[in-house]
Coordinates of all heavy atoms in Angstrom, one line a residue:
M1 N -11.4 26.6 10.4 CA -11.6 25.2 10.1 C -10.7 24.8 8.9 O -10.7 25.5 7.9 CB -13.1 25.0 9.8 CG -13.4 23.5 9.5 SD -15.2 23.3 9.7 CE -15.5 22.7 8.1
I2 N -10.0 23.7 9.0 CA -9.1 23.3 7.9 C -10.1 22.5 6.9 O -10.7 21.4 7.3 CB -8.0 22.4 8.4 CG1 -7.2 23.3 9.3 CG2 -7.3 21.9 7.2 CD1 -6.1 22.6 10.0
K3 N -9.9 22.7 5.6 CA -10.7 22.0 4.6 C -9.7 20.8 4.1 O -8.5 21.1 3.8 CB -10.9 22.8 3.3 CG -12.2 23.6 3.4 CD -12.6 24.0 2.0 CE -14.0 24.4 1.9 NZ -14.3 25.2 0.7
S4 N -10.1 19.7 4.1 CA -9.3 18.6 3.8 C -9.9 18.2 2.4 O -11.0 18.1 2.1 CB -9.4 17.4 4.7 OG -10.7 16.9 4.7
Q5 N -8.8 17.9 1.5 CA -9.1 17.4 0.2 C -9.3 15.9 0.3 O -8.5 15.0 0.9 CB -8.1 17.7 -0.8 CG -8.1 19.2 -1.2 CD -7.0 19.4 -2.3 OE1 -5.9 19.0 -2.0 NE2 -7.5 20.1 -3.4
A6 N -10.3 15.4 -0.4 CA -10.5 14.0 -0.5 C -9.3 13.3 -1.3 O -9.1 14.0 -2.2 CB -11.8 13.6 -1.1
I7 N -8.8 12.3 -0.9 CA -7.7 11.6 -1.7 C -8.4 10.6 -2.7 O -9.2 9.7 -2.2 CB -6.8 10.9 -0.8 CG1 -6.1 11.8 0.2 CG2 -5.7 10.1 -1.7 CD1 -5.5 11.2 1.3
P8 N -8.3 10.8 -4.0 CA -8.9 9.8 -4.8 C -8.4 8.4 -4.5 O -7.2 8.2 -4.6 CB -8.4 10.2 -6.3 CG -8.0 11.7 -6.1 CD -7.5 11.8 -4.6
E9 N -9.4 7.5 -4.3 CA -8.8 6.0 -3.9 C -8.1 5.4 -5.0 O -7.2 4.6 -4.7 CB -10.1 5.3 -3.4 CG -9.7 4.1 -2.7 CD -10.9 3.6 -1.9 OE1 -11.8 4.3 -1.6 OE2 -10.8 2.3 -1.7
V10 N -8.4 5.8 -6.2 CA -7.7 5.1 -7.2 C -6.2 5.4 -7.2 O -5.5 4.5 -7.7 CB -8.3 5.7 -8.7 CG1 -7.9 7.0 -9.1 CG2 -7.9 4.7 -9.8
D11 N -5.8 6.6 -6.8 CA -4.4 6.7 -6.6 C -3.7 5.6 -5.7 O -2.7 5.1 -6.2 CB -3.9 8.1 -6.0 CG -4.3 9.2 -7.0 OD1 -4.4 9.0 -8.2 OD2 -4.5 10.3 -6.5
T12 N -4.4 5.4 -4.5 CA -3.8 4.3 -3.7 C -3.8 3.0 -4.4 O -2.9 2.3 -4.3 CB -4.5 4.4 -2.4 OG1 -4.4 5.6 -1.8 CG2 -4.0 3.4 -1.4
L13 N -4.9 2.7 -5.1 CA -5.2 1.4 -5.8 C -4.0 1.2 -6.8 O -3.4 0.1 -6.9 CB -6.5 1.1 -6.2 CG -7.7 1.5 -5.3 CD1 -9.0 1.3 -6.0 CD2 -7.6 0.5 -4.1
T14 N -3.9 2.2 -7.6 CA -2.9 2.1 -8.7 C -1.5 2.0 -8.1 O -0.6 1.2 -8.6 CB -2.9 3.4 -9.6 OG1 -4.3 3.5 -10.1 CG2 -1.9 3.3 -10.6
R15 N -1.2 2.8 -7.0 CA 0.1 2.8 -6.3 C 0.5 1.4 -5.9 O 1.4 0.8 -6.1 CB 0.1 3.8 -5.3 CG 1.4 4.1 -4.5 CD 2.5 4.6 -5.4 NE 2.3 5.7 -6.4 CZ 2.4 7.1 -6.1 NH1 2.8 7.4 -4.9 NH2 2.1 7.9 -7.0
I16 N -0.5 0.6 -5.1 CA -0.2 -0.5 -4.5 C 0.0 -1.7 -5.7 O 0.8 -2.6 -5.6 CB -1.2 -1.0 -3.4 CG1 -2.5 -1.3 -3.9 CG2 -1.1 -0.1 -2.3 CD1 -3.4 -2.0 -2.9
R17 N -0.8 -1.5 -6.7 CA -0.6 -2.5 -7.8 C 0.7 -2.3 -8.6 O 1.5 -3.2 -8.8 CB -1.7 -2.3 -8.9 CG -1.7 -3.5 -9.9 CD -2.6 -3.3 -11.1 NE -2.1 -2.1 -11.9 CZ -3.0 -1.0 -12.0 NH1 -4.2 -0.9 -11.6 NH2 -2.5 0.1 -12.7
D18 N 1.0 -1.1 -8.8 CA 2.4 -0.7 -9.4 C 3.5 -1.2 -8.5 O 4.5 -1.7 -9.1 CB 2.5 0.8 -9.8 CG 1.5 1.2 -10.9 OD1 1.0 0.3 -11.6 OD2 1.3 2.5 -11.1
L19 N 3.5 -0.9 -7.4 CA 4.6 -1.4 -6.5 C 4.7 -2.9 -6.4 O 5.8 -3.4 -6.6 CB 4.4 -0.9 -5.0 CG 4.7 0.6 -4.7 CD1 4.0 1.0 -3.4 CD2 6.2 0.9 -4.7
R20 N 3.6 -3.6 -6.3 CA 3.6 -5.0 -6.4 C 4.3 -5.5 -7.8 O 5.1 -6.4 -7.7 CB 2.2 -5.6 -6.3 CG 2.2 -7.2 -6.3 CD 0.8 -7.7 -6.2 NE -0.2 -7.2 -7.1 CZ -0.3 -7.7 -8.4 NH1 0.5 -8.5 -8.8 NH2 -1.1 -7.1 -9.2
E21 N 3.8 -5.0 -8.9 CA 4.4 -5.3 -10.1 C 5.8 -5.0 -10.3 O 6.5 -5.7 -10.8 CB 3.6 -4.7 -11.3 CG 2.1 -5.4 -11.4 CD 1.2 -4.7 -12.3 OE1 1.6 -3.6 -12.9 OE2 0.2 -5.2 -12.6
D22 N 6.2 -3.8 -9.8 CA 7.6 -3.4 -9.9 C 8.7 -4.3 -9.1 O 9.7 -4.6 -9.4 CB 7.8 -2.0 -9.2 CG 7.2 -1.0 -10.1 OD1 6.8 -1.2 -11.3 OD2 7.1 0.3 -9.7
H23 N 8.0 -5.0 -8.0 CA 8.8 -5.9 -7.2 C 8.6 -7.4 -7.7 O 9.2 -8.2 -7.0 CB 8.4 -5.7 -5.7 CG 9.0 -4.6 -5.1 ND1 8.3 -3.2 -5.2 CD2 10.1 -4.4 -4.3 CE1 9.2 -2.4 -4.5 NE2 10.1 -3.1 -3.9
D24 N 7.9 -7.5 -8.7 CA 7.7 -8.9 -9.3 C 6.9 -9.9 -8.1 O 7.3 -11.1 -8.1 CB 8.8 -9.6 -9.8 CG 9.3 -8.8 -11.0 OD1 8.5 -8.3 -11.9 OD2 10.6 -8.7 -11.2
Y25 N 6.0 -9.2 -7.3 CA 5.2 -10.0 -6.3 C 4.0 -10.3 -6.9 O 3.4 -9.6 -7.6 CB 5.1 -9.2 -5.0 CG 6.4 -8.9 -4.3 CD1 6.3 -7.8 -3.4 CD2 7.6 -9.5 -4.5 CE1 7.4 -7.4 -2.7 CE2 8.7 -9.3 -3.7 CZ 8.6 -8.2 -2.6 OH 9.7 -7.8 -2.0
T26 N 3.4 -11.5 -6.6 CA 2.1 -11.9 -6.9 C 1.2 -11.5 -5.8 O 1.5 -11.2 -4.7 CB 2.0 -13.4 -7.1 OG1 2.3 -14.0 -5.9 CG2 2.9 -14.0 -8.2
Q27 N 0.0 -11.4 -6.1 CA -1.0 -11.1 -5.0 C -1.1 -12.2 -4.0 O -1.1 -11.9 -2.8 CB -2.5 -11.0 -5.6 CG -2.7 -9.8 -6.4 CD -4.1 -9.7 -7.0 OE1 -4.9 -10.6 -7.0 NE2 -4.5 -8.5 -7.5
E28 N -1.0 -13.4 -4.4 CA -0.9 -14.6 -3.4 C 0.3 -14.3 -2.6 O 0.2 -14.5 -1.3 CB -0.8 -15.9 -4.3 CG -0.8 -17.0 -3.3 CD -0.8 -18.4 -4.1 OE1 -0.8 -18.3 -5.3 OE2 -0.8 -19.4 -3.4
Y29 N 1.4 -14.0 -3.0 CA 2.7 -13.9 -2.1 C 2.5 -12.7 -1.1 O 2.7 -13.0 0.0 CB 3.9 -13.4 -3.0 CG 5.1 -13.2 -2.3 CD1 5.8 -14.1 -1.6 CD2 5.4 -11.7 -2.1 CE1 7.0 -13.8 -0.8 CE2 6.7 -11.5 -1.3 CZ 7.3 -12.4 -0.8 OH 8.4 -12.2 0.0
L30 N 1.9 -11.5 -1.6 CA 1.7 -10.5 -0.7 C 0.5 -10.8 0.4 O 0.7 -10.5 1.5 CB 1.3 -9.2 -1.4 CG 2.3 -8.4 -2.0 CD1 1.8 -7.2 -2.7 CD2 3.2 -7.8 -0.7
A31 N -0.4 -11.5 -0.1 CA -1.6 -11.9 0.8 C -0.9 -12.9 1.9 O -1.2 -12.7 3.0 CB -2.6 -12.8 0.1
K32 N 0.0 -13.7 1.6 CA 0.6 -14.6 2.6 C 1.5 -13.7 3.6 O 1.4 -13.8 4.8 CB 1.6 -15.6 2.0 CG 0.6 -16.8 1.5 CD 1.6 -17.7 0.7 CE 0.8 -18.9 0.2 NZ 1.6 -19.9 -0.4
L33 N 2.2 -12.7 3.1 CA 3.0 -11.8 3.9 C 2.0 -11.1 4.9 O 2.4 -10.8 6.0 CB 3.8 -10.8 3.0 CG 5.1 -11.2 2.4 CD1 5.6 -10.0 1.6 CD2 6.1 -11.5 3.5
L34 N 1.0 -10.6 4.4 CA 0.0 -9.8 5.2 C -1.1 -10.7 6.1 O -1.8 -10.1 6.8 CB -0.9 -9.0 4.3 CG 0.0 -7.9 3.3 CD1 -0.8 -7.3 2.4 CD2 0.7 -6.9 4.3
H35 N -0.9 -12.0 5.9 CA -1.7 -12.9 6.6 C -3.2 -12.7 6.3 O -4.1 -12.6 7.1 CB -1.5 -12.8 8.2 CG -0.1 -12.9 8.5 ND1 0.4 -14.3 8.5 CD2 0.9 -12.1 8.9 CE1 1.9 -14.1 8.9 NE2 2.0 -12.8 9.1
I36 N -3.5 -12.5 5.0 CA -4.9 -12.4 4.6 C -5.0 -13.3 3.3 O -4.2 -13.8 2.8 CB -5.2 -10.9 4.1 CG1 -4.3 -10.4 3.0 CG2 -5.2 -10.0 5.4 CD1 -4.6 -9.1 2.6
G37 N -6.2 -13.5 2.9 CA -6.5 -14.3 1.7 C -6.2 -13.5 0.4 O -6.1 -12.3 0.4
Q38 N -5.9 -14.3 -0.7 CA -5.6 -13.7 -2.0 C -6.7 -13.0 -2.5 O -6.6 -11.8 -3.1 CB -5.2 -14.8 -2.9 CG -4.7 -14.3 -4.3 CD -5.8 -14.0 -5.2 OE1 -6.8 -14.8 -5.3 NE2 -5.7 -12.9 -6.2
R39 N -7.9 -13.4 -2.3 CA -9.2 -12.6 -2.7 C -9.4 -11.3 -2.1 O -9.8 -10.4 -2.6 CB -10.4 -13.6 -2.7 CG -10.3 -14.8 -3.6 CD -11.5 -15.6 -3.4 NE -12.5 -15.2 -4.3 CZ -13.6 -15.7 -4.4 NH1 -14.1 -16.7 -3.7 NH2 -14.5 -15.3 -5.4
T40 N -9.0 -11.4 -0.7 CA -9.1 -10.1 0.0 C -8.1 -9.1 -0.5 O -8.4 -8.0 -0.8 CB -8.8 -10.3 1.5 OG1 -9.6 -11.2 2.0 CG2 -8.8 -9.1 2.2
Y41 N -6.8 -9.6 -0.8 CA -5.9 -8.6 -1.3 C -6.2 -8.2 -2.7 O -6.2 -7.0 -3.0 CB -4.4 -9.3 -1.5 CG -3.5 -8.3 -1.9 CD1 -2.9 -7.4 -0.9 CD2 -3.1 -8.1 -3.3 CE1 -2.0 -6.4 -1.4 CE2 -2.4 -7.1 -3.7 CZ -1.7 -6.2 -2.7 OH -0.9 -5.3 -3.2
S42 N -6.9 -9.0 -3.4 CA -7.3 -8.6 -4.9 C -8.3 -7.6 -4.8 O -8.5 -6.7 -5.5 CB -7.8 -9.9 -5.6 OG -8.4 -9.5 -6.9
G43 N -9.2 -7.8 -3.7 CA -10.3 -6.8 -3.5 C -9.8 -5.3 -3.2 O -10.3 -4.4 -3.5
Y44 N -8.7 -5.4 -2.4 CA -8.0 -4.1 -2.3 C -7.5 -3.5 -3.5 O -7.8 -2.3 -3.7 CB -6.8 -4.2 -1.4 CG -7.1 -4.7 0.0 CD1 -6.1 -5.4 0.7 CD2 -8.3 -4.6 0.7 CE1 -6.2 -5.9 2.0 CE2 -8.4 -5.1 1.9 CZ -7.6 -5.8 2.6 OH -7.6 -6.2 3.9
E45 N -6.8 -4.1 -4.4 CA -6.3 -3.5 -5.6 C -7.4 -3.2 -6.6 O -7.3 -2.2 -7.4 CB -5.4 -4.5 -6.2 CG -4.1 -4.5 -5.7 CD -3.0 -5.3 -6.5 OE1 -3.4 -5.7 -7.7 OE2 -2.0 -5.5 -6.0
C46 N -8.6 -4.0 -6.6 CA -9.7 -3.6 -7.5 C -10.7 -2.6 -7.0 O -11.5 -2.1 -7.7 CB -10.5 -4.8 -7.7 SG -9.4 -6.1 -8.5
G47 N -10.4 -2.1 -5.7 CA -11.3 -1.2 -5.1 C -12.7 -1.8 -4.6 O -13.6 -1.0 -4.3
K48 N -12.7 -2.9 -4.6 CA -14.0 -3.7 -4.1 C -13.9 -3.7 -2.5 O -15.0 -3.9 -1.8 CB -14.1 -5.1 -4.5 CG -14.3 -5.1 -6.0 CD -14.4 -6.4 -6.6 CE -14.8 -6.4 -8.1 NZ -14.8 -7.8 -8.6
R49 N -12.9 -3.6 -1.9 CA -12.6 -3.5 -0.4 C -11.8 -2.3 -0.1 O -10.8 -2.0 -0.6 CB -11.9 -4.8 0.1 CG -12.7 -6.0 0.0 CD -11.7 -7.2 0.4 NE -12.6 -8.4 0.6 CZ -13.0 -8.8 1.8 NH1 -12.7 -8.2 3.0 NH2 -13.7 -9.9 2.0
R50 N -12.2 -1.7 1.1 CA -11.4 -0.7 1.6 C -10.2 -1.2 2.3 O -10.2 -2.2 3.0 CB -12.3 0.2 2.6 CG -13.3 1.0 1.8 CD -14.1 1.9 2.7 NE -13.5 3.1 3.2 CZ -13.0 4.2 2.5 NH1 -12.8 3.9 1.2 NH2 -12.5 5.3 3.0
I51 N -9.1 -0.6 2.1 CA -7.7 -1.1 2.6 C -7.6 -0.5 4.1 O -7.6 0.6 4.4 CB -6.6 -0.6 1.9 CG1 -6.8 -1.0 0.4 CG2 -5.3 -1.2 2.4 CD1 -5.7 -0.4 -0.5
P52 N -7.6 -1.4 5.2 CA -7.5 -1.1 6.5 C -6.1 -0.4 6.7 O -5.1 -0.7 6.0 CB -7.4 -2.2 7.2 CG -8.1 -3.4 6.4 CD -7.7 -2.9 5.1
L53 N -6.1 0.6 7.6 CA -4.8 1.4 7.9 C -3.7 0.5 8.3 O -2.5 0.7 7.8 CB -5.1 2.4 9.1 CG -3.8 3.2 9.4 CD1 -3.3 4.0 8.2 CD2 -4.2 4.0 10.7
D54 N -3.8 -0.6 9.0 CA -2.7 -1.6 9.3 C -2.2 -2.3 8.0 O -1.0 -2.5 8.1 CB -3.1 -2.6 10.5 CG -4.2 -3.5 10.0 OD1 -5.2 -3.0 9.4 OD2 -4.3 -4.6 10.4
I55 N -2.9 -2.5 7.1 CA -2.4 -3.2 5.9 C -1.7 -2.2 5.1 O -0.7 -2.4 4.5 CB -3.7 -3.7 5.0 CG1 -4.4 -4.8 5.9 CG2 -3.1 -4.2 3.7 CD1 -3.6 -6.1 6.1
L56 N -2.1 -1.0 5.0 CA -1.4 0.0 4.4 C 0.0 0.4 5.0 O 1.0 0.5 4.3 CB -2.1 1.5 4.3 CG -3.3 1.6 3.4 CD1 -4.1 2.7 3.5 CD2 -2.8 1.4 2.0
I57 N 0.1 0.4 6.3 CA 1.3 0.4 7.0 C 2.2 -0.7 6.7 O 3.4 -0.6 6.4 CB 1.0 0.5 8.6 CG1 0.4 2.0 8.8 CG2 2.3 0.6 9.3 CD1 -0.2 2.1 10.2
D58 N 1.6 -1.9 6.7 CA 2.5 -3.1 6.4 C 2.9 -3.1 5.0 O 4.0 -3.4 4.7 CB 1.6 -4.4 6.6 CG 1.4 -4.7 8.0 OD1 2.1 -4.1 9.0 OD2 0.6 -5.6 8.4
L59 N 2.2 -2.5 4.0 CA 2.6 -2.5 2.7 C 3.7 -1.5 2.5 O 4.7 -1.7 1.8 CB 1.5 -2.1 1.7 CG 0.4 -3.2 1.5 CD1 -0.8 -2.7 0.7 CD2 1.1 -4.4 0.6
A60 N 3.6 -0.3 3.2 CA 4.6 0.7 3.2 C 6.0 0.1 3.8 O 7.0 0.3 3.2 CB 4.4 1.9 4.1
R61 N 5.9 -0.8 4.7 CA 7.1 -1.5 5.3 C 7.8 -2.4 4.3 O 8.8 -2.5 4.2 CB 6.7 -2.2 6.5 CG 6.6 -1.3 7.8 CD 6.4 -2.1 9.1 NE 6.5 -1.3 10.2 CZ 5.4 -1.3 11.1 NH1 4.4 -2.0 11.0 NH2 5.3 -0.4 12.1
V62 N 6.7 -3.2 3.6 CA 7.3 -4.2 2.7 C 8.0 -3.6 1.5 O 9.1 -4.0 1.2 CB 6.1 -5.1 2.2 CG1 6.5 -5.8 0.9 CG2 5.5 -6.0 3.2
Y63 N 7.5 -2.5 1.0 CA 8.1 -1.7 0.0 C 9.1 -0.7 0.3 O 9.7 0.0 -0.4 CB 6.9 -1.1 -1.0 CG 6.1 -2.2 -1.6 CD1 4.7 -2.1 -1.3 CD2 6.6 -3.1 -2.4 CE1 3.9 -3.0 -1.9 CE2 5.7 -4.1 -3.0 CZ 4.3 -4.0 -2.7 OH 3.4 -4.9 -3.2
N64 N 9.2 -0.5 1.6 CA 10.1 0.6 2.3 C 9.9 1.9 1.5 O 10.7 2.6 1.2 CB 11.5 0.2 2.1 CG 12.4 1.1 2.9 OD1 12.1 1.4 3.9 ND2 13.7 1.3 2.4
V65 N 8.5 2.3 1.6 CA 8.2 3.6 1.2 C 7.3 4.2 2.3 O 6.7 3.5 3.0 CB 7.6 3.6 -0.2 CG1 8.4 3.2 -1.3 CG2 6.3 3.0 -0.1
D66 N 7.3 5.5 2.3 CA 6.6 6.2 3.4 C 5.0 6.2 3.0 O 4.6 5.9 1.9 CB 7.0 7.5 3.8 CG 6.8 8.6 2.7 OD1 6.2 8.4 1.6 OD2 7.1 9.7 2.9
M67 N 4.0 6.4 4.0 CA 2.7 6.4 3.8 C 2.2 7.4 2.8 O 1.3 7.3 2.2 CB 2.0 6.6 5.3 CG 2.2 5.4 6.1 SD 1.3 3.9 5.5 CE -0.4 4.4 5.6
N68 N 2.9 8.6 2.8 CA 2.5 9.6 1.7 C 2.5 9.2 0.3 O 1.8 9.4 -0.5 CB 3.3 10.9 1.9 CG 3.0 11.7 3.2 OD1 1.8 11.7 3.6 ND2 4.0 12.3 3.8
Y69 N 3.6 8.3 0.1 CA 3.8 7.7 -1.2 C 2.7 6.6 -1.5 O 2.0 6.6 -2.5 CB 5.2 7.2 -1.4 CG 5.4 6.6 -2.8 CD1 5.6 7.5 -3.9 CD2 5.3 5.2 -3.0 CE1 5.8 7.0 -5.1 CE2 5.4 4.8 -4.4 CZ 5.8 5.6 -5.3 OH 6.0 5.2 -6.7
I70 N 2.5 5.7 -0.5 CA 1.5 4.7 -0.7 C 0.2 5.3 -1.0 O -0.6 4.8 -1.9 CB 1.5 3.9 0.6 CG1 2.6 2.9 0.5 CG2 0.1 3.0 0.7 CD1 2.5 1.5 -0.1
C71 N -0.3 6.5 -0.3 CA -1.6 6.9 -0.4 C -1.7 8.0 -1.5 O -2.8 8.6 -1.8 CB -1.8 7.7 1.0 SG -2.0 6.7 2.3
G72 N -0.6 8.2 -2.3 CA -0.7 9.0 -3.5 C -0.6 10.5 -3.2 O -1.0 11.4 -4.1
L73 N -0.1 10.9 -2.0 CA 0.0 12.3 -1.7 C 1.3 13.0 -2.2 O 1.4 14.1 -2.3 CB 0.0 12.4 -0.2 CG -1.3 12.0 0.5 CD1 -1.2 12.1 2.1 CD2 -2.5 12.9 0.1
T74 N 2.2 12.1 -2.6 CA 3.5 12.5 -3.1 C 3.9 11.4 -4.1 O 3.6 10.3 -4.1 CB 4.5 12.8 -2.2 OG1 5.7 13.3 -2.8 CG2 4.9 11.5 -1.4
N75 N 4.7 11.9 -5.1 CA 5.4 11.0 -5.9 C 6.7 10.7 -5.7 O 7.6 10.1 -6.4 CB 5.3 11.5 -7.5 CG 3.8 11.4 -8.0 OD1 3.0 10.5 -7.7 ND2 3.3 12.4 -8.8
V76 N 7.2 11.3 -4.6 CA 8.6 11.1 -4.1 C 8.8 10.0 -3.2 O 8.0 9.9 -2.1 CB 9.1 12.4 -3.3 CG1 10.5 12.2 -2.9 CG2 9.0 13.6 -4.2
K77 N 9.5 9.0 -3.5 CA 9.7 7.7 -2.6 C 10.7 8.1 -1.6 O 11.9 8.2 -1.8 CB 10.2 6.4 -3.5 CG 9.0 5.9 -4.4 CD 9.8 4.6 -5.1 CE 8.8 4.1 -6.2 NZ 9.4 2.8 -6.8
R78 N 10.2 8.1 -0.4 CA 11.0 8.2 0.7 C 11.0 6.9 1.6 O 9.9 6.3 1.5 CB 10.5 9.3 1.7 CG 10.9 10.7 1.1 CD 10.7 11.8 2.1 NE 11.2 13.1 1.6 CZ 10.5 13.9 0.9 NH1 9.3 13.6 0.4 NH2 11.1 15.1 0.4
P79 N 12.0 6.4 2.2 CA 12.0 5.3 2.9 C 11.0 5.3 4.1 O 10.8 6.4 4.6 CB 13.4 5.1 3.5 CG 14.1 6.3 3.1 CD 13.3 7.1 2.2
F80 N 10.5 4.2 4.5 CA 9.6 4.1 5.6 C 10.3 4.4 6.9 O 11.4 3.9 7.0 CB 9.1 2.5 5.7 CG 8.1 2.3 6.8 CD1 6.8 2.6 6.4 CD2 8.4 2.0 8.1 CE1 5.7 2.5 7.4 CE2 7.5 1.8 9.0 CZ 6.2 2.0 8.7
P81 N 9.9 5.3 7.7 CA 10.6 5.7 8.8 C 10.6 4.6 9.9 O 9.5 4.0 10.2 CB 9.7 6.9 9.3 CG 8.3 6.6 8.8 CD 8.5 5.9 7.5
H82 N 11.8 4.2 10.3 CA 12.0 3.3 11.3 C 12.3 3.9 12.6 O 12.8 5.0 12.7 CB 13.1 2.4 11.0 CG 12.8 1.5 9.6 ND1 12.0 0.5 9.5 CD2 13.3 1.8 8.4 CE1 11.9 0.1 8.4 NE2 12.7 0.7 7.6
K83 N 11.8 3.3 13.8 CA 12.0 3.8 15.0 C 13.6 3.8 15.3 O 14.3 3.0 15.0 CB 11.4 3.0 16.2 CG 9.9 3.1 16.1 CD 9.3 2.3 17.2 CE 7.8 2.3 17.3 NZ 7.3 1.5 18.3
K84 N 14.0 4.9 15.9 CA 15.4 5.0 16.3 C 15.6 4.3 17.6 O 14.8 4.3 18.6 CB 15.8 6.6 16.5 CG 15.8 7.3 15.2 CD 16.2 8.8 15.4 CE 16.2 9.3 14.0 NZ 16.6 10.8 14.1
Q85 N 16.7 3.7 17.8 CA 17.0 2.9 18.9 C 17.7 3.7 20.0 O 18.3 4.6 19.8 CB 17.9 1.8 18.7 CG 17.4 0.7 17.6 CD 16.3 0.0 18.2 OE1 16.2 -0.3 19.4 NE2 15.5 -0.5 17.3

């Protein structure tokens, strides 16, 4: 049996906030991109709401980083993998 380590949610929350601030995006701007309300997005960053997988994937696309980076599993920024044509 494989033991999985729990990923501290604060890593993901800190990571998405830092990425947003590094890109000079507002919560309102990202919420519009993601087709959600600003309060919902704020809830993700504050840890009051769990971030759905589809939103994490969309954020990885917006910032062009892989999911391992978004989730705090690595500190290496790799580009989001795009499908090969």
